[in-house]
Amino acid sequence: MTPATEDRRGGIGPPLFAAAFLGAVYGLPLVRIAKNRLVVGEPVYALDGLGALPGFGPEIEAVAGLVLGAVLLARIGRTRIGVGAATVLLALALALLMLALGSTAGDLLAGEPPAARAGLASGAWTALLLLAGGLAHLARRMAVPGLGGALAAAFLGFVALAGSTGTLGSLSLAIEFAARKDAVGEALVRHLLLSGSAVLLAVGGAVLLSLWRRGQGLVEVLVGGIQVVPAVALLGALVAVASGLLRAVPALREAGLGALGPVPAVIGIAAYLLLPLWRGLALALAAPDPATLDAAEALGLPPRTILFQVRLPIGAGILLGALRVACVQGIGLATLGALVGAGGLGGIVFDGMAQFAPDLILLGAIPIVALSLVVERTLSLAEDRWRGTPA
Amino acid sequence: MTRLRALRPALGAGAAGLVLACFSHPTVAAAIVSALGETPRRALPLDHLGALALHHLILAGTGLVLVAITGIGLGILATRPGAASVRGGIDTLAAAAQAVPPVVVVALALPVLGFGGPPTLLALVLYGIMPTLRGTVGALEAVPAETREAAKALGLTARQTLTRIELPLAAPAIVETLRTALVLAVATAAVGALAGAATLGTPIVAGLQNQNTVPMLQGAAATAALAFLCDALMVAAAGLLRR
C-alpha cells in the first residue's frame, strides 16, 4: 500500500480521535462537586442530567455532534474547504463545551454552601485537551501561516470574555485565579526571568566552551555527564556549595547573594542547557560545506567576516533549533527553582501540593505548559522560516 | 576480550557513580561540609540511606518496566502498515508531552492518587512513554526497506519479519532509548520526594527545608550516583548488544 492511498482513506487517526472524545465525555466524570477546595468531590457525569438529578443539558450532545461532524468532514472532504469546515466545527465544539461546563458548574453549586467548589474532572480535561490537539492538527494541515497563532489568540480572547461575563466564574480554577491574580502575574514574570537568564548564561557558557578547541573531548564528557545528574540533586548540591562559599567569602553575602534564591537556581538550570546549545553551536559551525568556505577564503574574506557572513547565516537554522530545545527545557526546569527559594510558577505548584489543593496546582501548572508550548511553536516557526529562505 | 572491550564506554559513568556514592557516606559528607566551614549537624545513617536508595531503585525500575512495555509495544503497533496515519501524530504528541515538566506531572497526579509512591510512578510512566515510543518508532523505521523486502521475498510472515529481522536490527537503538528513559526515571523518582515518596530526593528536600546541609549533600550525591550507575549499566548493555 502506498502512502498516498493510505492518506486518502484517512487512516485510523480520525475514528480513533472520535472514539477517544466520546469515551472521555461519556465515560469519565466531567465535573466534581466538593464541600471545599481541599477535598476530592463527588463526580458528575454527562448523562446525570437526563434523570431527575441536576446536571448537564443537551449541550454535551451538541458538542459530541459537532465533533463527529468535524471528524466526518476531515475524513470525507480531503479538500482545503473540508478541513477548514472541520476546524470551524471543532472550534465551536470547544467553545460550547467550555460554556456548558461553566454554566452547569454554576447550576450544580446553586443550592450549596459558599465553600463548595466545582472542579473540572478527568473527562472534561481529556475532552478539552483532545479538542485543542485536534484543532492544532487541523490548523497545521490547513498550512495557512499564522492560523495556529490566531486560533490560540481567539481561544484566549474567548476565555477572557467568558471569564469577564462570569460564565466560567463558578469553576474552582477561576475562583483560585481570582484570589491570586497578582501573585500569578508576578510568578509568571519571575519564571520568565529565571529561565531567560539561565538561557543567556548557558549561551555564554556554550560559546566559551566551543572556543576551547583542544578540550572538546573533555567538554563533551562533562556537559553530557551533567545531563545524567537529576536536577533535584544538582540544585541541592549547589545550595550546599553556595552556603560554604558564602561563609568563606562574606563579601559575597554583603553583595546581596544568598545560598538560597535565584542565583543557585539560574546556575543549576543553565548547567542543563549547556548540552543542547554547545552541540547546536558545533553542528552549526560545521554546517557550511568545505567548498563554500574555500570559496570565501579564496575571495580573501577575513576570518571574522567568514564567521559572521558565511558560517553563522548558514548554520542559523540549527542554532535556532538548539535555542528552542534549551528554552523549553529551561522553562520546565525553572519550575524546580522554587525548591531553592527562587520563586516562579513552581512556587504556586508547590503551594498547591503542600495544601493538597488540586486547582492551585493547576493554576501554576497551566501557565508553565502554555509558556513552553508557545515558546516551542514560535521558535520552531522561526526555524522553518529561516531554513525555507536560504541566506 | 571483545566482551570486555564492549564494556569500556560504561567505565566513565560507572567510576563517576562510585565516587559520588563515596560522597554520600555519612562520614565523608560530614567531612565535606566541615571543610566548607560549617559545623555539620546530624548525618543520615548508612542503613537509612540504603533503604531510601533501594526504594528509589524499585520505583524507577518499576516505572522503566512499565514504560518499556507500553512504549515499545505502542512503537511496534505504530510502525505496522495500517497505522501510518497515526505516526505524524506521535511526533506532535511527543513534542507536546515534553512541554510538561516531570514536577508538574507529579503535582497533577497528587490530588488523584494521594501522597507517596503512586503519583510518582504515574509521572514516571507518563513522562517516559512518549520518548520511548518515539525512539522505538525511529529505531524500527531505520531498518532499511530493502531488508524488509528481502524478508518478505524469503517468505517470512509479518510476525517473523518483526521478531527475527526488525527487532534484532533495532535493538541497540531501542536500548539507547531505554537508557535515556532510565536516567529520566531516576530523576523523576527524586522529584517524587516532593509528593511524599520515600526516595533519595527526600533528604534533599528535607535538608533544603530545615537548612541541614549534610543530608542534603548525601541525598544529592547518592541520587547522582544512582543515576550514573544506572546509566553505566545501560551503556554496558548497549555495548554488549552492538558487539
Side-chain angles (χ1 to χ4, degrees), chain B residues 69-90:
Chain B
I69 293 171
T70 38
I72 296 177
L74 289 174
I76 291 174
L77 284 183
T79 46
R80 297 309 95 194
S85 65
V86 187
R87 234 168 294 163
I90 289 178

Side-chain angles (χ1 to χ4, degrees), chain A residues 70 73-74 76-88 138 141-142:
Chain A
L73 272 176
I76 299 167
R78 310 294 291 176
T79 56
R80 209 157 183 186
I81 298 171
V83 177
T87 314
V88 173
L138 289 179
R141 260 182 48 190
M142 288 285 284

Side-chain angles (χ1 to χ4, degrees), chain A residues 238-298:
Chain A
L238 275 175
V239 169
V241 171
S243 64
L245 196 66
L246 286 174
R247 210 165 291 108
V249 192
L252 287 177
R253 196 181 290 277
E254 280 153 29
L257 295 179
L260 290 170
V263 174
V266 168
I267 295 175
I269 300 163
Y272 290 98
L273 309 185
L274 283 175
L275 180 71
L277 290 171
W278 170 77
R279 192 178 274 168
L281 206 55
L283 286 174
L285 290 180
D289 62 304
T292 315
L293 293 179
D294 285 346
E297 256 171 57

